[in-house]
Amino acid sequence: KAGVTQTPRYLIKTRGQQVTLSCSPISGHRSVSWYQQTPGQGLQFLFEYFSETQRNKGNFPGRFSGRQFSNSRSEMNVSTLELGDSALYLCASSPHDLSEIVLWNEQFFGPGTRLTVL
Amino acid sequence: AQSVSQHNHHVILSEAASLELGCNYSYGGTVNLFWYVQYPGQHLQLLLKYFSGDPLVKGIKGFEAEFIKSKFSFNLRKPSVQWSDTAEYFCAVRGGSQGNLIFGKGTKLSVKP
């Protein structure tokens, strides 16, 4: 089974631009979550989508948004980029809605998209 | 709010030394606990997880962790590390109805051959 894939792997943008990142979950997985990883803040939860609905959102400004398509693929968008948005953006998929706290509901992470904002 | 603390930012060990990485969390209810590893240039992988039952959990590559509820801790251990264990290790907790993972800031482990 193919793992979680993320495109692009690397991206360089300038302040004020907007960016869209893409995530394809493992086949059959319906939940997709996004995390931001930075050296200073570590891994922080952005949002989770399940069956095309945003189920949960972290503490990030409205410039960060996402969506999920009917095939479970997900995109996240960051508008009006700031220098502080430079980070590794990780996508994770799991078989079920994250609120289902069951043993087999593990999150599988993709390789990430490295975003650099100049 | 839930939070996770990892005590050590960077640990340097020689091969065959024993490893213990500390992890404490703050959450009063039922939690699920995880340790993830990120090898250089690779994506996050699950080492082990605790949901319920035996508080001593065994994971991949000889790692284990012990859940001590009274101390809100979930420390990671390995009796004898190898150079290939060089990586960054993240403790994570999931609790409540939301389900997303709350991560600690990670511990970098460097193993000298």
Side-chain angles (χ1 to χ4, degrees):
Chain A
K1 223 179 208 183
V4 177
T5 58
Q6 293 186 245
T7 56
R9 293 292 310 278
Y10 301 91
L11 207 47
I12 300 175
K13 291 284 188 178
T14 56
R15 279 182 300 175
Q17 287 187 308
Q18 67 103 27
V19 68
T20 299
L21 312 181
S22 181
C23 171
S24 293
I26 291 172
S27 177
H29 285 194
R30 297 167 63 194
S31 167
V32 173
S33 300
W34 290 88
Y35 293 84
Q36 182 196 63
Q37 185 177 15
T38 59
Q41 298 298 317
L43 279 146
Q44 294 185 289
F45 172 73
L46 279 156
F47 25 65
E48 182 215 353
Y49 286 87
F50 180 79
S51 291
E52 301 179 67
T53 302
Q54 187 180 91
R55 295 299 300 264
N56 191 11
K57 190 176 190 304
N59 190 25
F60 278 81
R63 299 185 296 107
F64 291 81
S65 63
R67 58 178 175 167
Q68 187 180 33
F69 302 95
S70 58
N71 61 358
S72 294
R73 192 177 68 84
S74 176
E75 288 181 348
M76 69 162 278
N77 185 276
V78 188
S79 63
T80 320
L81 283 166
E82 301 176 0
L83 295 179
D85 297 334
S86 294
L88 182 67
Y89 289 88
L90 295 172
C91 170
S93 76
S94 69
H96 305 280
D97 181 350
L98 285 189
S99 65
E100 291 189 45
I101 309 298
V102 292
L103 183 64
W104 53 87
N105 203 17
E106 179 185 324
Q107 285 189 279
F108 295 82
F109 284 81
T113 294
R114 172 77 60 187
L115 172 64
T116 302
V117 182
L118 302 176
Chain B
Q2 298 173 46
S3 66
V4 179
S5 296
Q6 291 184 242
H7 312 304
N8 308 101
H9 179 63
H10 192 185
V11 172
I12 302 172
L13 295 172
S14 298
E15 274 194 314
S18 65
L19 170 72
E20 181 159 4
L21 300 182
C23 172
N24 285 91
Y25 65 92
S26 67
Y27 182 71
T30 301
V31 291
N32 304 135
L33 298 157
F34 305 81
W35 275 98
Y36 281 85
V37 61
Q38 192 171 33
Y39 297 103
Q42 295 188 30
H43 55 269
L44 276 170
Q45 300 172 42
L46 183 69
L47 266 182
L48 47 79
K49 58 188 175 186
Y50 172 79
F51 275 65
S52 64
D54 188 345
L56 185 62
V57 179
K58 294 195 183 298
I60 60 171
K61 304 186 181 185
F63 286 91
E64 63 178 32
E66 185 175 12
F67 170 52
I68 303 180
K69 190 175 180 180
S70 61
K71 295 185 178 180
F72 297 89
S73 71
F74 190 55
N75 292 354
L76 181 71
R77 300 194 292 245
K78 186 171 184 178
S80 175
V81 294
Q82 300 173 311
W83 176 80
S84 58
D85 293 324
T86 294
E88 191 159 13
Y89 293 80
F90 294 90
C91 180
V93 63
R94 185 171 72 195
S97 60
Q98 293 185 332
N100 57 281
L101 293 172
I102 306 295
F103 283 89
K105 294 212 171 165
T107 297
K108 284 187 181 172
L109 172 65
S110 299
V111 180
K112 296 179 180 178

